[in-house]
Amino acid sequence: MPKARFEIINNDQVIMIRPIGAWSDETAARFVNEINKNLERENVDFAGLIDLRQWELGTPKALEIIGKNLFYAASLGYKMEIHFGEPKAIPMQISKEKITPPDVTLLQSQSLEEISDRFKKAGYRFETTALQQFLENL
């Protein structure tokens, strides 16, 4: 089992995130602190790409910490989140009604082209090559 951790890579207005392993409350809290530093750096809208393929989810409390932070992130300009792949633990479906602030668009995709098109249509600046490398490097 991989050690619980995460990677956060800034790609202009897109924050690329890779959660890895099964998260404890402490890992979720560290993640929230790190992601908020990234979101608080400028006064612009951001989008997120989350590569779920190595995530084994976490404790209910860890998921609650992340879910609550999504509302704070939205207040800082986090307006779109795309999930790539599925967590290793269980298949996950997006539930907009339960966990997503009304001003955050939450999508799921299995295709680099679709992800790139969605970000472009929404007007986010990002480097396509960096996006591709992020999804290819596990």
Side-chain angles (χ1 to χ4, degrees):
M1 180 169 83
K3 183 178 185 249
R5 58 186 166 77
F6 52 87
E7 299 170 3
I8 299 173
I9 300 170
N10 290 313
N11 183 354
D12 205 340
Q13 285 182 280
V14 173
I15 297 174
M16 302 180 301
I17 302 163
R18 180 175 293 119
I20 299 168
W23 285 17
S24 65
D25 306 0
E26 293 80 18
T27 304
R30 277 196 338 268
F31 170 76
V32 163
N33 287 333
E34 286 300 313
I35 198 68
N36 288 345
K37 286 179 194 173
N38 285 274
L39 293 171
E40 293 165 349
R41 67 188 175 142
E42 295 179 41
N43 191 16
V44 297
D45 286 351
F46 287 94
L49 170 63
I50 303 178
D51 180 354
L52 298 171
R53 296 175 292 172
Q54 293 185 62
W55 199 20
E56 297 173 26
L57 299 177
T59 66
K61 180 68 175 169
L63 298 175
E64 180 182 331
I65 291 168
I66 297 163
K68 283 183 179 178
N69 193 67
L70 189 54
F71 287 84
Y72 177 67
S75 76
L76 296 174
Y78 190 73
K79 301 297 181 200
M80 177 184 282
E81 181 172 290
I82 299 178
H83 294 179
F84 182 80
E86 294 179 347
K88 290 174 76 173
I90 56 169
M92 183 168 124
Q93 291 297 316
I94 295 170
S95 173
K96 287 184 85 168
E97 293 74 29
K98 294 182 182 175
I99 62 165
T100 308
D103 49 348
V104 174
T105 301
L106 191 55
L107 306 164
Q108 194 153 3
S109 178
Q110 301 294 329
S111 155
L112 171 65
E113 293 77 22
E114 181 184 21
I115 291 167
S116 183
D117 287 346
R118 296 235 186 212
F119 285 147
K120 285 178 184 173
K121 285 179 183 171
Y124 292 104
R125 294 181 314 271
F126 64 97
E127 183 64 41
T128 305
T129 304
L131 190 70
Q132 180 179 3
Q133 289 173 342
F134 176 76
L135 292 176
E136 289 175 356
N137 295 331
L138 276 179

